[in-house]
């Protein structure tokens, strides 16, 4: 069984904004994130969502990262790790 180290609070991954290079905030799993915003999803968004759902079968957990300076979001696939306990 594998699990996402970010969702489980084991480790934190920092990713830097490509524009201002400030550390971006982890907004959580994209599934949870888009739950609140599903009304705003267009067709392209749904395609993206479905594509990412496929990726989750590869033990990757997609997280949304947000830059408070530039107000941009980025999706990062977090590699899940084997649970050893
Ligand atoms: Zn996760
Ligand atoms: Zn930025």
């Amino acid at each position: 069984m594998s699990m996402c180290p970010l969702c489980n609070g084991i480790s934190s991954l920092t990713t830097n904004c490509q524009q201002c290079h400030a550390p971006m905030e982890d907004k959580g799993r994209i599934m949870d994130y888009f739950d609140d915003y599903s009304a705003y999803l267009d067709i392209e968004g749904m395609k993206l969502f479905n594509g990412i759902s496929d990726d989750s079968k590869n033990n990757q957990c997609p997280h949304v990262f947000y830059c408070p300076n530039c107000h941009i979001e980025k999706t990062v696939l977090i590699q899940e790790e084997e649970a050893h306990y």
Side-chain angles (χ1 to χ4, degrees):
M1 179 189 156
S2 63
M3 57 189 207
C4 171
L6 263 67
C7 287
N8 289 278
I10 296 169
S11 68
S12 61
L13 177 143
T14 48
T15 185
N16 290 332
C17 175
Q18 54 196 2
Q19 289 191 49
C20 71
H21 304 289
M24 298 177 83
E25 299 171 0
D26 178 16
K27 306 296 275 188
R29 290 170 66 216
I30 198 168
M31 292 78 160
D32 299 336
Y33 188 72
F34 274 131
D35 228 27
D36 299 333
Y37 291 88
S38 54
Y40 301 104
L41 277 181
D42 58 13
I43 306 264
E44 283 304 310
M46 289 307 290
K47 270 190 211 160
L48 177 72
F49 185 79
N50 290 337
I52 286 172
S53 294
D54 289 342
D55 287 339
S56 67
K57 290 172 195 153
N58 300 326
N59 295 332
Q60 289 181 318
C61 183
H63 277 245
V64 176
F65 283 84
Y66 173 74
C67 175
N69 296 328
C70 307
H71 304 287
I72 58 170
E73 290 158 1
K74 184 169 96 170
T75 305
V76 180
L77 290 173
I78 309 299
Q79 188 64 50
E80 296 186 348
E81 296 174 357
E82 290 295 317
H84 295 296
Y85 51 91

